[in-house]
Amino acid sequence: MDTSLRRSRALLTGYFLGLGVVMAVWGARMPAVQHAAHLTTGSLSLVLLAAAVGMVAGLQAGGRLARPDCLPALLIGGAVALAAALAVLGQCRTLASLLAAAVVFGAAHGVLDVAANTGAVRCQIAFGKPIMSSLHAAYSIGALGGAALAAATAGIAHSTLFLAVGAALTASVLGAGPRTLTLSGADPTTLRPQGTDRDPAPGRVWLLGALAAASLLGEGAAADWAAVHVHFLHAGTAVAASAFALYSTGMAIGRLTGDRLTTRFGASAVVRAGAVLAAAGLTTGVLAGSVPAALAGWAVFGLGLSGTVPCLITTAGGHGPRAVATVSVTGYLGLLAGPAVIGALATITTLSTALLLPALLAAALAALTRHALENIAP
């Protein structure tokens, strides 16, 4: 195996890992951000909305710019901007300053997300075998590590933590800068994508985006409602909090093994079987009405959905970076809207009934996977 390909894979693993750490630290210390700026729940929602708007803009800009010759600059620039924005967010004490910093933070996240995924698609094609799942596993592991770091430093001011994480990420990115500049060496010159930015096969791309939204709606539901669901079943605070940790563990395990499964059985079979597993696991966990069943259900749900996004991004990458951006934007809309939709349904019916929505979407994902991922090479 070419040394440059191994180096490119290691570098991309680092970028995914760092992105996971930053996003987990930011999310885990959100209450401290709210307290420091004396924000109401509504004001905090505006900050999160500003970050979402920035992320959509960053994804779109990244999709237009993510050509092979620009990828190293986008990776370095996006990561440094994300680190700087995190550090600045820690110093903000007013709603206005938080809104401005959140827009930059979201935009940097979007640019880095597209650049990392586009680089991962090209690196995978050069390898000639699936590696996308292991790269996304690095993000999941980084998120677990970031959440653990945030919990371990709960007694330290969030501004100090944000500054330290931002400085560490910046130092790592700049230190790896010379090697990142050679990342384009992983792109085979004979590559002919399945589509181009002029002809992005819009029907297939929008279907991929819809499936990504269905999958990420489930991720949003797990992040915001898993602990609430288990607590609703009369579990203690610590046990309830473990629900999302179990979901994340299932996701990480699935992604660490996903490349081998994709190589052996194909992307369509892996995603379809995983979606069926996710639907069955969450449905059982919700309907059983017991704490052990609910915890197991969330873990199986994460395991089942683990291969979906890596395979969808790989397929989108065959149509060019703009398709990656389109699928990412559509998917993140599901992630952002999911918790609110679940909450609205819960007020009309019950939380248990509302949580059947991600299970139903997983079942729909299984039904539509064959058409979306057919004839896709590793």
Side-chain angles (χ1 to χ4, degrees):
M1 182 63 66
D2 193 309
T3 301
S4 67
L5 291 182
R6 291 196 297 268
R7 183 184 299 124
S8 294
R9 181 177 182 176
L11 285 169
L12 288 167
T13 298
Y15 280 104
F16 276 102
L17 185 73
L19 181 57
V21 170
V22 169
M23 298 312 299
V25 166
W26 162 244
R29 296 304 296 270
M30 193 72 66
V33 173
Q34 181 179 15
H35 178 74
H38 306 289
L39 301 180
T40 64
T41 302
S43 296
L44 180 60
S45 297
L46 289 177
V47 173
L48 298 177
L49 178 61
V53 169
M55 183 175 67
V56 170
L59 286 167
Q60 296 288 8
R64 289 191 294 270
L65 297 172
R67 301 183 302 273
D69 57 327
C70 295
L71 275 179
L74 288 178
L75 285 167
I76 295 171
V80 170
L82 185 71
L86 179 69
V88 171
L89 282 167
Q91 310 305 316
C92 293
R93 297 296 181 269
T94 65
L95 176 59
S97 61
L98 278 170
L99 289 173
V103 170
V104 177
F105 182 79
H109 178 193
V111 169
L112 182 57
D113 187 285
V114 171
N117 277 298
T118 301
V121 169
R122 292 183 176 278
C123 192
Q124 176 168 274
I125 292 171
F127 262 85
K129 64 178 182 179
I131 63 169
M132 181 68 79
S133 187
S134 66
L135 293 174
H136 280 245
Y139 176 89
S140 299
I141 293 170
L144 286 171
L149 176 64
T153 58
I156 298 175
H158 76 283
S159 56
T160 302
L161 176 62
F162 286 10
L163 182 62
V165 171
L169 178 60
T170 300
S172 299
V173 170
L174 294 180
R179 291 188 176 183
T180 303
L181 292 175
T182 66
L183 187 67
S184 58
D187 299 308
T189 58
T190 57
L191 176 63
R192 291 290 183 270
Q194 298 169 17
T196 68
D197 285 346
R198 291 180 178 271
D199 179 24
R204 172 70 66 84
V205 171
W206 284 114
L207 176 57
L208 293 171
L211 297 182
S215 179
L216 289 175
L217 185 146
E219 185 169 332
D224 287 13
W225 289 106
V228 177
H229 171 229
V230 176
H231 185 69
F232 179 77
L233 298 175
H234 309 293
T237 301
V239 174
S242 69
F244 183 64
L246 287 170
Y247 166 87
S248 299
T249 300
M251 179 73 70
I253 291 172
R255 287 180 170 174
L256 286 171
T257 59
D259 291 329
R260 291 193 294 273
L261 292 175
T262 302
T263 299
R264 182 171 181 178
F265 301 107
S268 180
V270 168
V271 173
R272 185 167 59 253
V276 170
L277 180 65
L282 185 57
T283 300
T284 302
V286 169
L287 296 181
S290 69
V291 172
L295 292 174
W298 285 112
V300 172
F301 188 61
L303 179 65
L305 289 183
S306 61
T308 303
V309 172
C311 289
L312 294 175
I313 291 294
T314 295
T315 307
H319 299 291
R322 289 192 184 181
V324 173
T326 298
V327 172
S328 297
V329 168
T330 310
Y332 277 119
L333 289 177
L335 178 67
L336 296 170
V341 172
I342 298 291
L345 288 175
T347 61
I348 299 172
T349 56
T350 64
L351 179 58
S352 295
T353 301
L355 287 174
L356 292 176
L357 175 62
L360 289 173
L361 290 175
L365 177 63
L368 295 171
T369 292
R370 184 184 298 277
H371 179 66
L373 299 179
E374 61 186 1
N375 300 323
I376 299 303

